[in-house]
Amino acid sequence: MKIGFLGPKATFTDIAVRGLFPGGTAIPFPTIPACFDALAEEAIDLAVVPIENALEGSVNITLDYLIHEAMFPIVGEVTAPIRQHLMVHPANVNEWNEIKSVYSHSHAIAQCHKFLHSSLKGAQLVNTTSTAAAAKHIQDHPHEKAAAIANLLAAEEYGLEIVKNDIHDFSHNHTRFIVISKTAETLQTEKKEFKGHKTSVMVTLPDDRAGALHQVLSAFAWRKLNLSKIESRPMKTGLGNYFFIIDIDMQEDEVLIPGVTAELEALGCKVNILGSYPSFQLGKDSLTVS
Ligand SMILES: O=C(O)C(=O)Cc1ccccc1
């Protein structure tokens, strides 16, 4: 099984892939859109990309690609703990507090804002395509007075020294990753940490109808369907035009989900099922280097 992921080696997405598919062939891609393209071209069987972080919210590029570019079915999700560390090239360990720039993924930088503000005030913050890409940049530029924010695995992989552990501002830091496929297949995984099933739907409301969102939510509520997330995103057709992505805590069935879909369509909504899939949770041990 070929699994494409947001690389290079030792990103948090790589950790999610190693946890969920220990026997799979993991293939890194430099960006999230490149993972979608590889899936479209059938160079890989599955792709794993980040979709939501507990501190920073949605990964918009993933949502946008899923909705606007290629509506690949979601066939699984995995949540992993996130610990961010500050690391430098071994040549710069003693002068690490003279750092002039900090490289990382925008979500990782956002997760560490308080630390950066208090301990590295004035350092230039540089966005990279992933945390591991930042670590690789530091490895390749030993003469730059720079650091990366990345995980333990990346420090090992790119020969960097951690100078400050756990610099994320809140301790409950987790990221949710989705597994997408070209077809809505059942996920084959050896992983034991199964949390339950989810179904994700995209709902577009009818134009200018008072109380439409209330009616949508009540279609779920009276059926006692538990929602774990509701998120609005722009339709990109004009200011004020939004659709909703709603996660339901149950597997697609033959009664309740078709019932809710029919009720929403009768209200004038457009409904797309994005996937019905198992959800997994990795433990703290996923962040250790073996
Ligand atoms: O950059 C990475 O390592 C990723 O996998 C994306 C990401 C970035 C920050 C937190 C979680 C995931």
Side-chain angles (χ1 to χ4, degrees):
M1 178 80 77
K2 288 194 216 153
I3 303 128
F5 68 96
L6 171 65
K9 225 168 154 186
T11 56
F12 287 100
T13 315
D14 188 6
I15 289 174
V17 171
R18 291 175 196 218
L20 199 56
F21 303 101
T25 307
I27 305 174
F29 289 89
T31 61
I32 290 171
C35 294
F36 276 79
D37 289 350
L39 194 56
E41 290 157 9
E42 294 178 15
I44 50 177
D45 304 303
L46 300 170
V48 179
V49 287
I51 190 158
E52 183 189 3
N53 174 263
L55 306 189
E56 192 43 25
S58 289
V59 180
N60 290 334
I61 188 140
T62 298
L63 286 177
D64 287 353
Y65 259 75
L66 203 57
I67 301 302
H68 298 292
E69 302 297 327
M71 216 181 254
F72 293 131
I74 305 174
V75 295
E77 75 164 23
V78 55
T79 303
I82 302 291
R83 288 176 61 186
Q84 304 288 9
H85 310 305
L86 189 75
M87 53 194 75
V88 299
H89 193 278
N92 296 324
V93 173
N94 296 331
E95 306 88 49
W96 78 264
N97 33 14
E98 293 166 24
I99 284 164
K100 296 279 177 287
S101 38
V102 179
Y103 289 76
S104 202
H105 187 276
S106 59
H107 266 231
I109 291 176
Q111 289 159 24
C112 306
H113 258 306
K114 280 204 296 187
F115 167 81
L116 293 169
H117 180 68
S118 59
S119 301
L120 289 170
K121 206 175 255 149
Q124 191 195 0
L125 305 177
V126 186
N127 287 343
T128 50
T129 46
S130 69
T131 56
K136 183 161 189 337
H137 176 92
I138 300 300
Q139 180 187 43
D140 294 343
H141 297 83
H143 301 301
E144 215 179 305
K145 283 202 178 330
I149 299 174
N151 61 53
L152 191 58
L153 202 63
E156 284 270 314
E157 181 68 34
Y158 301 104
L160 306 185
E161 293 278 340
I162 294 180
V163 288
K164 202 89 185 149
N165 275 297
D166 294 319
I167 59 167
H168 43 287
D169 298 330
F170 297 91
S171 56
H172 290 289
N173 194 7
H174 286 84
T175 292
R176 206 155 63 82
F177 300 85
I178 51 167
V179 185
I180 50 176
S181 166
K182 252 191 136 172
T183 51
E185 64 205 62
T186 308
L187 197 62
Q188 303 299 326
T189 156
E190 301 156 34
K191 216 51 215 172
K192 305 283 183 302
E193 292 107 334
F194 171 67
K195 281 200 306 178
H197 277 97
K198 279 191 185 175
T199 301
S200 295
V201 293
M202 170 186 167
V203 178
T204 312
L205 303 186
D207 277 348
D208 271 345
R209 182 170 158 159
L213 181 58
H214 179 100
Q215 288 175 314
V216 166
L217 292 179
S218 69
F220 291 99
W222 75 256
R223 289 180 175 82
K224 295 193 168 29
L225 293 177
N226 202 24
L227 307 183
S228 52
K229 185 175 183 199
I230 173 162
E231 158 114 24
S232 62
R233 284 292 299 153
M235 284 172 61
K236 302 188 194 278
T237 54
L239 209 55
N241 299 342
Y242 280 80
F243 63 84
F244 293 87
I245 295 178
I246 298 175
D247 288 350
I248 313 160
D249 271 349
M250 71 171 279
Q251 190 165 16
E252 191 173 9
D253 66 345
E254 283 167 10
V255 179
L256 291 170
I257 295 199
V260 90
T261 304
E263 187 174 330
L264 297 183
E265 284 171 350
L267 291 169
C269 297
K270 194 165 162 278
V271 183
N272 290 92
I273 308 265
L274 300 177
S276 185
Y277 50 88
S279 173
F280 300 89
Q281 167 92 53
L282 299 184
K284 286 199 181 84
D285 57 340
S286 61
L287 293 176
T288 53
V289 176
S290 48

